[in-house]
Amino acid sequence: MPDSMNDEPIISSSVPAAPPDTESMSLAQPQPPAVRWIYRHAVPVRLAHWINVLCLPILIMSGLQIFNAHPALYLGERSDRDRPILLLDTVYSESGGIRGITTVFGYSFDTTGWLGASRDSTGQIHRRGFPAWATIPSYQWLAMGRRWHFFFAWLFVINGLLFGLYSFLSRHFDRDLVPLPKDLRGIGRAVRDHFLFRHPKGDEAARYNVLQKIAYTGVVFVLGPLIILTGMTMSPSLDAGFPDLLTLFGGRQSARTIHFIVCFSFVGFIGIHLFMVAVSGLWNNLRSMLVGRYRIAEVGVEPHDQETN
Amino acid sequence: MIKKRIDRRRFMIRAAQAAGLIFLAGCDKLSQSEWFPRLLGSAEGLTQRVQRMVTPRKAMAREYNEADRSVVFPTNGNVDPANPDYQALARNDFADWKLTVSGLVERPAEFSLSDLRHLPFRTQITRHDCVEGWSAIAKWKGVPLKELLDRVRPLPSARYVVFYCADPDETGQTYYESIDFEDANHPQTILAYEINGQVLPIAHGAPIRLRLERQLGYKMAKYVMRIELVESFKTIGGGNGGYWEDQGYEWYAGI
């Protein structure tokens, strides 16, 4: 099985080196190829990635449907209605108006149209935690939201376990994902490069940079296990079998709150990930995750991606 | 050049919005289909098998201290059954109420509230988890269901214990629930007649409600009038084993 990203990138033999462009011809000097192709993502990684692409939006949106059945969060074992840390409330005025009021740690905000009260697809305003466009199904239907959630939760868990097994055995984890001390020493430069939209070239582009490594290991080793374990802690059946889960997360309602926070950490990750994918060579990134081939611009050469981007 | 870039950005945002709308509409369409919810529902069997496999048969739900109890234990569903027969029983403090246990048993029996109070009892401070997401803790006292089952002697063909309740919904359909013997014989599965040291009030399911501590609240039938042991619940109600199950909720409510 091919490794997804070797220390020495494989130069694909099936793809000819890019033809010398007219400029270099006019200089009449032999130039090294401006780009080369590597095989970036192995089949199991690509498959696991796209299964996650399917699962995560469905899990997040069906999760918000389930959350809407009781749109409040608490700490501890119990949900004392007078002590929520987050509440998406709906207030009806005497004139028949309806407002969404979000309260976080005792601070209230008017969030009409977004949280607490929002419009459905016909434009009617309703009492609703998260709005229709953020939930599956779009209208209030807890039983159906649960069906979506638990089906795709199983797919997500099985996919995650297989990905973990593959990545451990193929050494994808330690070769490509886990940041090394030398990576971490370069973190300052990496942050600066990201803010300046300076993307690595040459051998540097053939592997993940330190911020990518931190993001991906964070998702694989922190967010993934946390979302599953906090989900399991909400199960009264599993709580009986594994009471340590309750102790670990500080009670069922705390586990529910952590589940919610981790969910939005996934949302944040997905947002940043999509942004970075788009700005660092959208089609190149997409191609590498679809068929594996990734184009690398050599150091000192302007990437030709701009046209195809 | 800059204009081109902005056009492209706007195009990408529009495309993403359009894709989102199509995705949402598709999910709604699938939710209303016949086959897709059934496919999604296949996960329930897997959940049940795996949860039962990893949770020992006799594993106990966590029991809490007096101080952990909720000050207010919310009521849900029906809080005052609109049923004249039930109302008549309630007026008399359920002195005329009798719990019939019948079906696939050797010796069908009837128990008055006083009979139940004279049987061995169990007291437990447990957490109630609603399918909506909230949790509340209370102290429950009641007779273990196993005590009743031992007295009526289930036949080998009996697979489920069905609870018929007094509370009807707006359409007249009365509440019912069913559990299997693995849960029915669990020590924490009790027919509770007290909450927090008080006689069970009507809002909480007087005269008795089922406590099934390892599943969600909707399994814990209130206002239980009759218990029947059956081989299959396919011919009862909508055929899914319970009132909420007939509305699409899982029969196995372990999560």
Side-chain angles (χ1 to χ4, degrees):
Chain A
M1 197 164 291
D3 288 309
S4 56
M5 296 202 315
N6 284 311
D7 286 338
E8 287 183 72
I10 306 156
I11 297 170
S12 170
S13 54
S14 64
V15 184
D21 56 38
T22 45
E23 215 178 336
S24 55
M25 294 243 289
S26 65
L27 289 170
Q29 267 178 0
Q31 289 274 318
V35 297
R36 65 191 150 117
W37 295 84
I38 61 165
Y39 184 67
R40 187 166 221 202
H41 302 297
V43 172
V45 174
R46 282 183 262 151
L47 200 61
H49 174 267
W50 292 110
I51 292 174
N52 281 339
V53 170
L54 174 73
C55 287
L56 280 170
I58 291 175
L59 283 168
I60 291 163
M61 294 168 74
S62 59
L64 295 180
Q65 165 74 243
I66 296 169
F67 175 83
N68 274 357
H70 186 78
L73 295 174
Y74 310 85
L75 293 179
E77 287 279 23
R78 305 184 305 257
S79 48
D80 293 342
R81 303 282 171 104
D82 53 339
R83 288 169 56 203
I85 57 168
L86 171 75
L87 174 65
L88 310 186
D89 206 3
T90 316
V91 178
Y92 301 89
S93 70
E94 282 170 23
S95 56
I98 171 172
R99 307 211 65 77
I101 304 291
T102 298
T103 305
V104 192
F105 292 110
Y107 296 95
S108 294
F109 308 91
D110 189 321
T111 49
T112 309
W114 297 89
L115 304 171
S118 50
R119 294 182 190 284
D120 62 15
S121 55
T122 66
Q124 274 284 100
I125 193 155
H126 287 286
R127 175 194 187 93
R128 199 120 164 77
F130 282 90
W133 55 262
T135 67
I136 295 175
S138 63
Y139 40 95
Q140 187 68 45
W141 191 359
L142 173 60
M144 190 54 70
R146 282 168 54 83
R147 284 200 180 200
W148 282 87
H149 202 72
F150 297 135
F151 182 90
F152 284 94
W154 271 115
L155 192 56
F156 180 71
V157 166
I158 293 166
N159 185 43
L161 290 176
L162 290 177
F163 171 79
L165 189 69
Y166 164 79
S167 301
F168 179 73
L169 294 178
S170 71
R171 305 193 58 207
H172 177 48
F173 279 148
D174 38 326
R175 278 182 211 226
D176 306 324
L177 289 179
V178 178
L180 304 171
K182 83 170 157 49
D183 293 322
L184 293 171
R185 277 194 294 275
I187 197 163
R189 196 176 63 95
V191 169
R192 202 165 55 240
D193 285 349
H194 273 73
F195 275 111
L196 297 171
F197 294 101
R198 269 206 307 249
H199 304 298
K201 289 175 184 172
D203 290 346
E204 284 293 304
R207 49 182 166 261
Y208 290 144
N209 65 61
V210 60
L211 295 184
Q212 279 178 297
K213 286 185 174 185
I214 291 170
Y216 298 149
T217 46
V219 168
V220 171
F221 293 107
V222 181
L223 295 188
L226 264 184
I227 202 83
I228 292 161
L229 289 173
T230 51
M232 287 164 62
T233 310
M234 282 187 272
S235 153
S237 165
L238 291 175
D239 284 349
F242 306 92
D244 289 345
L245 283 172
L246 289 168
T247 312
L248 178 64
F249 294 113
R252 180 179 192 253
Q253 291 299 321
S254 290
R256 184 167 173 265
T257 298
I258 298 168
H259 196 72
F260 183 90
I261 293 168
V262 176
C263 163
F264 277 90
S265 306
F266 268 107
V267 173
F269 166 77
I270 293 168
I272 295 168
H273 178 63
L274 290 180
F275 178 76
M276 291 312 300
V277 164
V279 300
S280 65
L282 177 63
W283 300 117
N284 197 25
N285 285 320
L286 264 181
R287 188 200 310 106
S288 73
M289 200 38 99
L290 283 166
V291 296
R293 287 192 310 127
Y294 186 74
R295 183 171 177 276
I296 293 201
E298 295 299 359
V299 180
V301 176
E302 271 301 302
H304 293 202
D305 250 18
Q306 305 247 308
E307 284 312 306
T308 54
N309 206 347
Chain B
M1 180 66 180
I2 287 167
K3 188 164 184 305
K4 192 174 148 198
R5 208 167 251 231
I6 289 169
D7 282 349
R8 196 167 58 198
R9 189 173 303 162
R10 194 174 296 154
F11 169 76
M12 300 273 274
I13 290 169
R14 290 266 163 81
Q17 281 173 338
L21 282 176
I22 291 167
F23 175 73
L24 259 182
C27 288
D28 281 355
K29 199 105 191 155
L30 285 173
S31 299
Q32 283 154 352
S33 73
E34 216 14 76
W35 66 277
F36 194 73
R38 201 177 305 142
L39 171 70
L40 294 179
S42 63
E44 182 193 345
L46 182 61
T47 304
Q48 180 180 342
R49 274 195 299 279
V50 172
Q51 289 201 349
R52 287 257 165 103
M53 201 168 69
V54 301
T55 306
R57 187 177 284 255
K58 293 291 175 206
M60 301 284 271
R62 177 177 272 191
E63 297 196 12
Y64 297 84
N65 299 317
E66 299 267 344
D68 297 324
R69 289 177 300 159
S70 301
V71 176
V72 178
F73 194 99
T75 53
N76 219 16
N78 291 317
V79 291
D80 191 10
N83 173 345
D85 295 341
Y86 177 84
Q87 298 288 349
L89 290 168
R91 271 194 296 277
N92 202 9
D93 278 339
F94 302 100
D96 303 322
W97 173 86
K98 284 225 163 37
L99 178 70
T100 319
V101 186
S102 59
L104 300 172
V105 297
E106 276 178 34
R107 298 195 309 190
E110 275 192 347
F111 301 88
S112 71
L113 198 48
S114 139
D115 293 338
L116 292 183
R117 286 178 169 276
H118 284 94
L119 288 174
F121 64 88
R122 190 172 199 283
T123 305
Q124 56 203 32
I125 302 175
T126 50
R127 194 189 68 228
H128 179 97
D129 297 328
C130 180
V131 67
E132 293 170 355
W134 53 266
S135 307
I137 297 175
K139 179 164 78 174
W140 303 92
K141 182 182 174 186
V143 51
L145 182 58
K146 188 175 189 312
E147 294 287 341
L148 265 60
L149 296 179
D150 287 349
R151 280 166 176 75
V152 298
R153 295 198 196 141
L155 295 171
S157 55
R159 289 190 58 206
Y160 300 100
V161 182
V162 183
F163 302 86
Y164 297 91
C165 307
D167 48 326
D169 65 10
E170 315 82 62
T171 69
Q173 170 70 49
T174 50
Y175 205 91
Y176 75 103
E177 257 304 338
S178 62
I179 63 174
D180 63 15
F181 275 88
E182 180 160 343
D183 277 323
N185 288 322
H186 188 267
Q188 285 172 319
T189 301
I190 63 173
L191 294 170
Y193 45 72
E194 276 183 21
I195 176 173
N196 292 328
Q198 308 286 314
V199 172
L200 196 68
I202 288 179
H204 283 297
I208 54 164
R209 92 168 293 175
L210 176 67
R211 295 297 311 165
L212 185 72
E213 305 296 356
R214 300 186 301 177
Q215 294 199 39
L216 297 176
Y218 67 85
K219 294 297 288 185
M220 304 189 214
K222 306 198 283 189
Y223 317 109
V224 178
M225 297 286 121
R226 183 162 73 86
I227 293 176
E228 187 185 17
L229 276 66
V230 298
E231 191 174 357
S232 160
F233 46 69
K234 287 280 170 274
T235 57
I236 301 167
N240 298 297
Y243 177 82
W244 287 112
E245 287 84 337
D246 290 337
Q247 328 274 321
Y249 287 86
E250 295 83 3
W251 178 81
Y252 178 73
I255 186 160

